[in-house]
Amino acid sequence: RGGGAQRPNEDAERERRLLEGAQRELMAERDMSAEEIRARYMRESDFVRRLREELFEKSRMMKSMFQRMDTDGSTSISYAELQHGLERAGVHVSDEQAALILSRFDRDGDGKLDYNEFMRLLQNASDIYVHDTGVRGVNR
C-alpha cells in the first residue's frame, strides 16, 4: 500500500491492476501440473488457515463479521473492505495475497465477495474451485 494518501481514482486503478494480476495467476494454473497446483494450494491454505483462526477468534458470529467488513452496506465485500477488515482483525497480508484470495473465492467474478463466497472462504473446505480455469477438486 505504501506512499501515503492516494486519490480514489488511483486506489481504484491499483485495485483493478491487483485483481487482474490475481486473475492471471489463477488462469496460469491451467498450464501447471497437479503437483505445482498442490504446492501453491498448500502455501495458500496456510494463509487461509491463519485467516480463519484470526477471524474466528475475533468474532464468533460470521454474519456479524461479514456485516462489519461490508462497511458500505452493499451486501458484498470489496477488495478495499477486505483489506481494511483484515487489518482491523490483525491479519497482515500483502496486497497481492489479498487480491489472490479474493479472486479465488469470488465465484461469480464480480471482484467482490458476497456472503456465500465469504462463508466459503471461512469454511474448512478441502478443495479449490479455480475461477474459469477448469481446475477443480485439488485435495490436500
Side-chain angles (χ1 to χ4, degrees):
R1 284 173 301 247
Q6 292 181 346
R7 294 186 316 229
N9 288 344
E10 290 172 344
D11 289 342
E13 177 61 22
R14 185 166 191 284
E15 179 179 330
R16 184 190 64 72
R17 283 193 316 270
L18 283 166
L19 293 174
E20 285 177 357
Q23 285 297 316
R24 284 190 299 275
E25 284 287 316
L26 293 178
M27 295 301 287
E29 290 179 354
R30 279 196 242 175
D31 299 324
M32 291 181 178
S33 69
E35 184 175 313
E36 290 170 315
I37 293 170
R38 259 191 296 287
R40 176 180 272 198
Y41 172 68
M42 294 308 291
R43 287 189 304 270
E44 286 180 21
S45 69
D46 182 55
F47 161 73
V48 172
R49 180 190 53 75
R50 288 191 337 256
L51 172 62
R52 284 185 195 118
E53 289 170 0
E54 290 291 328
L55 292 176
F56 279 126
E57 185 175 311
K58 302 289 182 188
S59 174
R60 292 173 44 157
M61 308 227 12
M62 289 182 273
K63 182 72 171 178
S64 173
M65 183 188 318
F66 178 84
Q67 290 169 334
R68 282 194 309 272
M69 290 181 86
D70 177 23
T71 57
D72 66 1
S74 65
T75 70
S76 62
I77 297 173
S78 68
Y79 166 82
E81 289 171 322
L82 178 64
Q83 275 293 71
H84 182 69
L86 292 174
E87 288 172 6
R88 283 190 1 223
V91 178
H92 303 287
V93 298
S94 72
D95 294 340
E96 291 77 12
Q97 286 174 313
L100 185 59
I101 293 301
L102 186 143
S103 294
R104 183 167 306 282
F105 288 91
D106 174 21
R107 300 195 72 190
D108 62 9
D110 66 355
K112 300 177 180 184
L113 296 177
D114 64 29
Y115 182 68
N116 290 329
E117 293 165 337
F118 181 75
M119 293 301 295
R120 181 149 177 79
L121 169 65
L122 296 180
Q123 292 170 348
N124 191 13
S126 64
D127 57 337
I128 295 178
Y129 291 90
V130 178
H131 197 65
D132 291 331
T133 66
V135 178
R136 294 178 65 88
V138 177
N139 293 319
R140 290 189 246 192

